[in-house]
C-alpha cells in the first residue's frame, strides 16, 4: 500500500558506519504511505500510516508509532511505548492489551495479504468470478 523501504548498495557502508540496509522484524505492521530509510524495526512493532523512519534509527520491540510520526536519523525508540509526532515524542507506556494487539494486527494484515495474493496475483480473472457470485447474492468464503 505505497510503502517505501530504501537501502543502498549491497556491501557498502554509509559515512556514519551504518549499513545501508532496512531490517523489519516479525509481526510488524507498516502503515500505508510510510517511508523507511536504512533503519531497524524490531519484532512486534506497529508503524502507523505515513510515518517516516530515517537513517540509523532503531525502533525496538513492542512499540506503536502513531500515524504521521517522524523518527529522526540515529534515534533509538525503546521498547514498550506509544510514540508519535514530528519529531517523535513519548506518549505513554503500552499495556498488555495493546502489546497483544500489535501481533493480532500483523496477523490480520498477513491474512489479508494472502487473500489479495490469491485473488489478484498473478494477474488473472479470479476476482471477476468472485464479483459475479457476490452479485448473484451467493455467500462467498475466501481462503
Amino acid at each position: 500500500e505505497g510503502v517505501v523501504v530504501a537501502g543502498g548498495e549491497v556491501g557498502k557502508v554509509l559515512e556514519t558506519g551504518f549499513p545501508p540496509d532496512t531490517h523489519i522484524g516479525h509481526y510488524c505492521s507498516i502503515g500505508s504511505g510510510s517511508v523507511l530509510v536504512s533503519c531497524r524495526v524490531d519484532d512486534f512493532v506497529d508503524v502507523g500510516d505515513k510515518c517516516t523512519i530515517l537513517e540509523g534509527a532503531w525502533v525496538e520491540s513492542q512499540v506503536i508509532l502513531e500515524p504521521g510520526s517522524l523518527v529522526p536519523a540515529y534515534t533509538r525508540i525503546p521498547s514498550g511505548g506509544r510514540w508519535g509526532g514530528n519529531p517523535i515524542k513519548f506518549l505513554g507506556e503500552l499495556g498488555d492489551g495493546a502489546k497483544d494487539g500489535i501481533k493480532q494486527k500483523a496477523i490480520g494484515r498477513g491474512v489479508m495479504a494472502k487473500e489479495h495474493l490469491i485473488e489478484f496475483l498473478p494477474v488473472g480473472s479470479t476476482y471477476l468470478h468472485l464479483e459475479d457470485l457476490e452479485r448473484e447474492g451467493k455467500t462467498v468464503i475466501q481462503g
Side-chain angles (χ1 to χ4, degrees):
E1 292 185 18
V3 174
V4 177
V5 178
E9 293 180 39
V10 176
K12 296 279 184 172
V13 177
L14 302 175
E15 293 176 15
T16 57
F18 283 93
D21 299 327
T22 298
H23 168 84
I24 300 173
H26 300 287
Y27 297 106
C28 289
S29 297
I30 309 297
S32 176
S34 294
V35 177
L36 286 70
V37 181
S38 297
C39 60
R40 180 178 180 86
V41 177
D42 284 344
D43 300 340
F44 304 104
V45 174
D46 181 4
V47 177
D49 294 342
K50 298 182 181 178
C51 286
T52 302
I53 305 175
L54 296 176
E55 174 184 316
W58 176 17
V59 181
E60 293 184 357
S61 65
Q62 305 218 341
V63 168
I64 295 176
L65 299 181
E66 294 294 326
S69 298
L70 170 66
V71 181
Y74 316 111
T75 301
R76 179 180 155 263
I77 303 296
S79 63
R82 180 180 303 274
W83 294 75
N86 180 0
I88 199 143
K89 295 178 184 170
F90 180 71
L91 301 176
E93 294 290 332
L94 291 182
D96 291 337
K99 289 177 183 178
D100 292 339
I102 294 171
K103 182 176 181 179
Q104 295 309 314
K105 182 176 180 179
I107 290 170
R109 284 198 172 193
V111 168
M112 183 173 57
K114 287 177 184 173
E115 288 175 355
H116 284 255
L117 180 67
I118 291 168
E119 285 185 38
F120 301 108
L121 296 176
V123 177
S125 61
T126 304
Y127 70 96
L128 294 173
H129 180 64
L130 179 64
E131 289 173 355
D132 290 339
L133 291 172
E134 289 174 343
R135 263 191 299 262
E136 293 171 10
K138 296 184 179 175
T139 302
V140 179
I141 299 173
Q142 297 181 18

